[in-house]
Amino acid sequence: MEDTILPKSYRVAILGSTGAVGTELLELLEARNFPLGDLKLLASPRSAGTTLSFQGESLTVEAVTEDSFHNVDLVLASAGGSTSKLWAPKAVQAGAVVIDNSSAFRMMADVPLVVPEVNPDAAQFHQGIIANPNCTTILMSVALWPLHCVQPIKRVVVATYQSASGAGARAMEEMKEQARAILAGETPKTDIFPYPLAFNLFPHNSALTEIGYCEEELKMVNETRKIFGTQDIHISPTCIRVPVMRAHSEAINLEFASPFPVAKARELLSHAPGVTLLEDWQKNYFPMPMETSGKDDVFVGRIRQDISHPCGLELWISGDQIRKGAALNAVQIAELLVAKNWLKVPASVLKV
């Protein structure tokens, strides 16, 4: 899609433009030459007046209002669930398609949940809103889909190692300050996270449900099933916050109905879109967040036979949470809409 020649005629707004994902969206629109005719930066009133650089110019961030979406074709939203619930419907009524990075709309039946490498055709059925999946779900889906297409996956047991970036720019700064405090012999302060993350780790800080799984873990279950178009995959996640600045990693155990040769899995993943296979068994060198940060692909390695189950495979993956886990996936959806001429709100929705 990057090489497609398209007219620069699309009017885009970024909602939540000053956050970690918002600024990454801005960088990606420039780096990937998205066909822009106009760009509007939106945020909360407290961020209004901030300037951000784009294509050598300084753009001023505006406070989002009822009139913000007039003459806008596309809204890339990454400002949190409550903000999306408030403004996304207003944007659609103004005629804009919204690609939303929050959890607000992901599980709604009439909202496509899209990972372009997995289910691109789902995007065409949007009613004005397309949801970006959770970061851990996106990374896992890109890695598992090529295998699932050859032999359906029966069961997934996954442990995630989630960086500070998953909680935004302020969380990343908080971990830096905690590290400085601990090294200076001081008590680290917490604001974004419930416990110090520097030199520590703890189960994901989203709310626990009555069945003992936190909301982050259930997102992986429900979203993966929706993206893959099946309820037949059994998924058991354990999500952990780790003292890594950026990029999430996941240890994944897969079960199939019959043995899945390691060599076949390696061959499939070496040619899969959005995947980089990284394995050096002699050096015990596999994907690491320090090296996957800032990269577009999901890096996969340490593919091996599960010695406890004849039909099992083990994978290790790492990918940039802000990039493919959020901003890049949204921009890829936007590129898909443009390439397929799906970037328009259905007339039936506008009549409501």
Side-chain angles (χ1 to χ4, degrees):
M1 285 185 286
E2 291 175 85
D3 298 329
T4 304
I5 299 174
L6 295 165
K8 288 197 172 185
S9 59
Y10 296 95
R11 300 160 297 184
V12 178
I14 299 177
L15 178 59
S17 56
T18 58
V21 176
T23 54
E24 195 79 11
L25 285 167
L26 194 63
E27 292 177 15
L28 287 166
L29 290 175
E30 181 171 352
R32 296 171 72 88
N33 296 315
F34 187 83
L36 279 169
D38 182 61
L39 179 61
K40 183 180 293 189
L41 304 183
L42 304 173
S44 65
R46 70 174 179 272
S47 297
T50 303
T51 59
L52 298 174
S53 176
F54 183 76
Q55 294 181 342
E57 299 182 11
S58 290
L59 301 182
T60 301
V61 177
E62 304 172 21
V64 59
T65 69
E66 296 277 352
D67 299 323
S68 294
F69 308 107
H70 179 64
N71 285 332
V72 169
D73 300 307
L74 172 68
V75 176
L76 299 171
S78 187
S82 59
T83 301
S84 289
K85 287 179 181 178
L86 174 62
W87 294 111
K90 298 180 186 297
V92 172
Q93 284 300 303
V97 174
V98 178
I99 300 173
D100 183 57
N101 195 56
S102 78
S103 61
F105 307 103
R106 289 175 186 159
M107 298 313 298
M108 292 186 178
D110 61 346
V111 176
L113 186 65
V114 177
V115 177
E117 293 90 345
V118 179
N119 63 335
D121 289 344
Q124 69 181 298
F125 302 110
H126 71 80
Q127 299 298 301
I129 298 174
I130 297 174
N132 218 27
N134 191 50
C135 50
T136 49
T137 304
I138 292 174
L139 301 179
M140 185 173 74
S141 295
V142 171
L144 299 193
W145 183 250
L147 307 179
H148 182 76
C149 288
V150 171
Q151 191 171 326
I153 297 168
K154 289 182 59 180
R155 185 168 185 255
V156 181
V157 179
V158 54
T160 71
Y161 304 77
Q162 296 181 223
S163 63
S165 66
R170 290 175 59 206
M172 296 165 74
E173 288 304 314
E174 178 172 282
M175 191 177 74
K176 288 181 186 178
E177 291 302 319
Q178 289 172 351
R180 293 189 188 102
I182 292 170
L183 291 173
E186 302 169 359
T187 300
K189 297 179 180 178
T190 59
D191 179 26
I192 306 302
F193 292 121
Y195 313 107
L197 185 57
F199 304 104
N200 194 25
L201 56 81
F202 46 82
H204 194 278
N205 48 296
S206 59
L208 284 170
T209 68
E210 60 184 13
I211 61 173
Y213 285 78
C214 69
E215 289 179 354
E216 183 82 356
E217 291 160 349
L218 293 183
K219 288 176 185 177
M220 295 190 74
V221 176
N222 298 325
E223 292 177 19
T224 301
R225 288 171 173 169
K226 182 173 179 178
I227 295 164
F228 279 32
T230 178
Q231 294 296 310
D232 294 336
I233 301 179
H234 301 282
I235 305 170
S236 180
T238 300
C239 294
I240 305 296
R241 285 283 188 205
V242 295
V244 170
M245 189 60 65
R246 179 164 168 159
H248 291 353
S249 301
E250 302 179 21
I252 305 173
N253 177 276
L254 303 176
E255 180 186 338
F256 301 88
S258 59
F260 200 121
V262 170
K264 180 64 174 177
R266 198 168 279 136
E267 173 68 15
L268 289 167
L269 290 169
S270 68
H271 295 98
V275 172
T276 292
L277 181 65
L278 179 61
E279 295 185 313
D280 188 331
W281 291 87
Q282 295 301 316
K283 296 181 179 179
N284 195 19
Y285 175 59
F286 304 105
M288 294 180 285
M290 185 175 289
E291 296 184 353
T292 60
S293 293
K295 304 290 177 57
D296 288 349
D297 280 1
V298 176
F299 286 68
V300 183
R302 209 169 179 226
I303 305 170
R304 62 200 188 278
Q305 172 66 45
D306 178 356
I307 59 173
S308 73
H309 198 298
C311 301
L313 279 181
E314 300 272 7
L315 310 176
W316 170 257
I317 74 171
S318 185
D320 191 316
Q321 176 275 334
I322 300 177
R323 210 166 180 92
K324 181 54 185 172
L328 176 61
N329 198 74
V331 172
Q332 288 175 316
I333 293 171
E335 291 170 342
L336 175 67
L337 297 179
V338 168
K340 296 289 189 178
N341 196 29
W342 295 338
L343 186 56
K344 50 193 172 185
V345 178
S348 59
V349 176
L350 292 174
K351 291 176 183 177
V352 175

